[in-house]
Amino acid sequence: MPPVPARWKGHCQSGEAFNASSCNRKVIGARYYRSGYEAEEAATEVFSFISPRDSSGHGSHTASIAAGRYVSHMNYKGLAAGGARGGAPMTRIAVYKTCWDSGCYDVDLLAAFDDAIRDGVHILSVSLGPDSPQGDYFSDAISIGSFHAAARGVLVIASAGNEGNQGSVTNLAPWMITVAASSTDRDFASDIVLGNSANFTGESLSLSEMDASARIISASEAYAGYFTPYQSSYCLESSLNSTKASGKVLVCLQADSSTESKLAKSKVVKQAGGVGMVLIDEADQDVAIPFAIPSAIVGKEIGNKILSYIKDTRNPIAKISRAKAVLGSQPAPRIAAFSSKGPNAVTPEILKPDVSAPGLNILAAWSPAAGKMQFNVLSGTSMACPHVTGIAALIKAVNPSWSPSAIKSAIMTTATILDKNRKPITVDPSGSRGSAFDYGSGFVDPTRVLDPGLIYDTQPTDYKAFLCSIGYDEKSLHLVTRDNSTCNETFTTASSLNYPSITVPGLKDSFSVTRTVTNVGKPRSIYKAVVSNPVGINVTVVPKRLIFNSYGQKIKFTVNFKVASPSIGYTFGFLTWRNRNARVTSPLVVQVASSSSGLLR
């Protein structure tokens, strides 16, 4: 790496198992924050290093995804061996450690945002968020901190959350990029071979293998003590009878809403003498786990076939192989089942998530302090977020003067809603077609982001007008902005924010939205509007052609929505500005109001 730029104002804090001298030309800043932790957890034992050092592995994993340098020997205990690098390997890293064993505290998060902005970072990657959507934009520290970052030209990218339900997406503010998680075309899998020669594949990171086939039973048959067969079917702690389970492969269940560790279930089976486990995940999340014994996770469909085999066979047997890396086994990308989904619970007029990126079974760097290995496989929107961070860093390097919203627009409008087979992106577990509530504008496409053609640019004053339009008064605004902002300039509705996606909830009859695009492509260029109408909605665009004569030229256009045939729920379409060289695509999301409660006219 070249020398650290003179403009950098950050520094490295020393602490337990970490010296300031540990920083270098790659890791140029390292701070930690404990005020909130100490105020809330003063009497508890601390297991994390009291320093910027990573004791959990999560920070190392996400940082390497965004900006890791090339390594030739990357693997997970021999699996998926090969060379790899992060998204922007020449990007420098500054670490702001705000989370501890008991969680993250707002005062620490806000202090970290303040320091990062003052230090001179260009992009903040925030792989964390509240447990559920907040009631307003200023009820959580990430929303507040990212507002100040955006106002000072710092782009914030955050994870969408791992709840997986409709309306569960978090990090909802329009001034940040919110990232959903999707799959890649690589799986970590183990084979389950039954006595009737049926072969099923399940997700696993278990590197042990059964020496021979063994009897396979439902865990409900091995119930112990005061536990019922139903309870033991979930392989709860102490629920299995070792006499019944010993030497057998057990089929255990994992409920949709269960918070119990899948790894813990394999330990329960092992403790009872079981030699293998098939775990039926009712949520079909496809997340690979490093189990304590030969094990594999299957969905409900395959799980029911295995249970039927057990029921219909006098002496059912099975053998589970060690895990292997499998390439190209399924269409990719697919949206991960755990990835939190829209609509936006605070302001439905702003589509969230914004985009999707790889977040399922991601191999990346690991902290040796969190386990004696250099690399690990994790799943979550935490892993998807830094994929977008790396792409944003590349855009910033090529276009250093671009605003955070310009970079965001380039990422969103060049995303794709097609998988590698050119078919619509699907959603686990059903394989049904996804929507903008699953993937936002689509799956990020790094090959197109540097030449988006047009961008939707937004200034900090626009965000203030947006807040005024949704009911914030000047007193509330000042508590956050810390300036003399007024609500003299406001929008008619929140849909008027110059956002790269367009969402119209509660459409009663007709409604119009105005947007402004800036030419960042060829100085002389013409774009034509191509519309895919949401079901039951007629969409017209005025003007239908945009004629640019110079770089940086701005042109306004209006999108008109008209109810053609009322439908229930949200419908989805898209608007693309197209020419020979570029496609600038925005999702169109419309909800028709019921006859008794129209919101928009």
Side-chain angles (χ1 to χ4, degrees):
M1 299 288 289
V4 178
R7 65 179 180 273
W8 173 246
K9 299 177 183 177
H11 70 276
C12 293
Q13 285 180 281
S14 294
E16 185 178 306
F18 187 88
N19 295 317
S21 60
S22 298
C23 286
N24 50 39
R25 292 183 176 185
K26 178 67 175 178
V27 180
I28 62 173
R31 299 175 184 256
Y32 67 97
Y33 304 83
R34 284 175 47 85
S35 296
Y37 178 91
E38 290 172 344
E40 297 291 334
E41 308 290 338
T44 63
E45 184 178 355
V46 176
F47 296 98
S48 299
F49 294 115
I50 306 176
S51 77
R53 189 179 180 189
D54 177 14
S55 62
S56 74
H58 186 274
S60 301
H61 203 266
T62 53
S64 71
I65 293 170
R69 293 300 298 267
Y70 178 82
V71 292
S72 60
H73 58 283
M74 191 174 183
N75 67 89
Y76 173 76
K77 298 181 179 180
L79 288 175
R85 64 170 176 80
M90 290 299 288
T91 298
R92 304 178 198 273
I93 295 171
V95 178
Y96 300 85
K97 180 178 174 181
T98 60
C99 296
W100 306 85
D101 294 332
S102 59
C104 318
Y105 298 88
D106 282 359
V107 65
D108 297 332
L109 289 167
L110 288 169
F113 270 104
D114 281 347
D115 284 344
I117 295 166
R118 277 195 295 263
D119 288 348
V121 302
H122 293 123
I123 300 169
L124 274 165
S125 190
V126 185
S127 285
L128 55 94
D131 293 331
S132 59
Q134 300 298 293
D136 64 75
Y137 288 118
F138 299 134
S139 293
D140 74 282
I142 297 173
S143 182
I144 297 171
S146 61
F147 179 89
H148 284 269
R152 288 159 179 79
V154 179
L155 175 62
V156 177
I157 301 162
S159 49
N162 301 323
E163 292 303 311
N165 303 316
Q166 293 293 320
S168 63
V169 61
T170 60
N171 290 324
L172 301 172
W175 44 81
M176 66 173 79
I177 301 180
T178 307
V179 189
S182 50
S183 69
T184 68
D185 61 357
R186 179 180 64 195
D187 290 327
F188 295 98
S190 289
D191 292 328
I192 307 163
V193 181
L194 304 182
N196 61 1
S197 298
N199 190 331
F200 300 107
T201 300
E203 299 291 331
S204 180
L205 288 173
S206 175
L207 298 178
S208 57
E209 185 167 9
M210 294 174 58
D211 295 330
S213 296
R215 185 175 177 87
I216 182 171
I217 64 172
S218 168
S220 62
E221 298 179 39
Y223 67 95
Y226 295 103
F227 288 91
T228 66
Y230 174 79
Q231 291 171 321
S232 68
S233 69
Y234 289 92
C235 296
L236 305 177
E237 187 175 354
S238 303
S239 68
L240 301 177
N241 184 311
S242 58
T243 301
K244 299 174 184 176
S246 182
K248 298 181 178 66
V249 175
L250 270 62
V251 179
C252 304
L253 303 179
Q254 177 86 9
D256 269 353
S257 59
S258 175
T259 57
E260 186 175 2
S261 162
K262 296 179 177 70
L263 172 60
K265 290 181 184 291
S266 70
K267 292 179 178 178
V268 170
V269 174
K270 181 179 182 180
Q271 189 175 12
V275 296
M277 180 184 75
V278 174
L279 182 59
I280 302 175
D281 183 3
E282 296 177 3
D284 283 355
Q285 293 191 340
D286 288 340
V287 176
I289 300 293
F291 294 105
I293 54 176
S295 304
I297 304 172
V298 298
K300 286 184 287 188
E301 184 179 347
I302 293 177
N304 288 336
K305 290 179 180 179
I306 294 174
L307 290 174
S308 294
Y309 164 74
I310 294 172
K311 181 180 178 182
D312 299 337
T313 306
R314 178 174 295 180
N315 184 33
I317 58 173
K319 183 179 180 181
I320 302 174
S321 68
R322 77 191 304 272
K324 59 187 176 183
V326 180
L327 297 178
S329 61
Q330 300 183 60
R334 295 164 291 130
I335 299 301
F338 58 76
S339 185
S340 291
K341 300 167 176 59
N344 185 326
V346 175
T347 310
E349 293 88 349
I350 301 298
L351 175 64
K352 291 289 178 173
D354 291 303
V355 289
S356 70
L360 180 66
N361 299 328
I362 303 301
L363 176 62
W366 196 245
S367 170
K372 296 180 180 179
M373 53 188 180
Q374 291 181 300
F375 309 103
N376 201 0
V377 176
L378 293 183
S379 297
T381 55
S382 282
M383 286 67 246
C385 169
H387 277 88
V388 177
T389 303
I391 295 171
L394 296 177
I395 300 173
K396 184 70 174 178
V398 175
N399 301 284
S401 65
W402 278 18
S403 67
S405 62
I407 297 172
K408 176 178 182 175
S409 178
I411 292 170
M412 290 177 64
T413 61
T414 58
T416 178
I417 60 172
L418 302 177
D419 66 21
K420 67 176 185 177
N421 297 322
R422 308 302 296 170
K423 295 181 179 180
I425 294 176
T426 57
V427 181
D428 293 338
S430 62
S432 60
R433 186 169 176 171
S435 76
F437 286 157
D438 302 305
Y439 48 65
S441 294
F443 186 75
V444 291
D445 186 349
T447 65
R448 295 180 56 210
V449 294
L450 293 179
D451 190 18
L454 306 174
I455 56 170
Y456 295 80
D457 207 357
T458 307
Q459 302 305 316
T461 52
D462 295 320
Y463 295 131
K464 295 173 185 177
F466 161 79
L467 291 168
C468 292
S469 75
I470 61 173
Y472 286 82
D473 58 23
E474 292 180 359
K475 183 178 179 181
S476 301
L477 209 57
H478 295 167
L479 289 174
V480 176
T481 62
R482 298 295 179 182
D483 58 20
N484 296 320
S485 300
T486 66
C487 284
N488 292 335
E489 294 184 15
T490 186
F491 298 137
T492 306
T493 74
S495 295
S496 299
L497 182 67
N498 199 41
Y499 212 68
S501 57
I502 301 175
T503 305
V504 181
L507 175 62
K508 188 174 183 181
D509 178 28
S510 62
F511 186 68
S512 297
V513 173
T514 299
R515 289 286 190 269
T516 301
V517 285
T518 304
N519 181 26
V520 294
K522 293 185 177 180
R524 293 183 178 274
S525 52
I526 300 174
Y527 289 83
K528 180 182 177 181
V530 179
V531 175
S532 174
N533 288 319
V535 175
I537 307 296
N538 284 338
V539 179
T540 57
V541 182
V542 180
K544 294 181 179 180
R545 297 168 77 223
L546 303 179
I547 302 174
F548 292 93
N549 298 307
S550 61
Y551 181 91
Q553 182 182 351
K554 298 179 183 292
I555 296 180
K556 287 186 177 182
F557 65 88
T558 301
V559 184
N560 303 303
F561 298 87
K562 174 75 175 177
V563 176
S565 56
S567 57
I568 298 174
Y570 282 91
T571 60
F572 305 89
F574 58 83
L575 162 65
T576 299
W577 289 105
R578 194 166 192 166
N579 68 10
R580 222 178 260 178
N581 303 308
R583 299 188 308 276
V584 187
T585 302
S586 295
L588 303 177
V589 182
V590 181
Q591 178 198 41
V592 177
S594 64
S595 57
S596 60
S597 59
L599 298 180
L600 299 173
R601 291 186 296 174

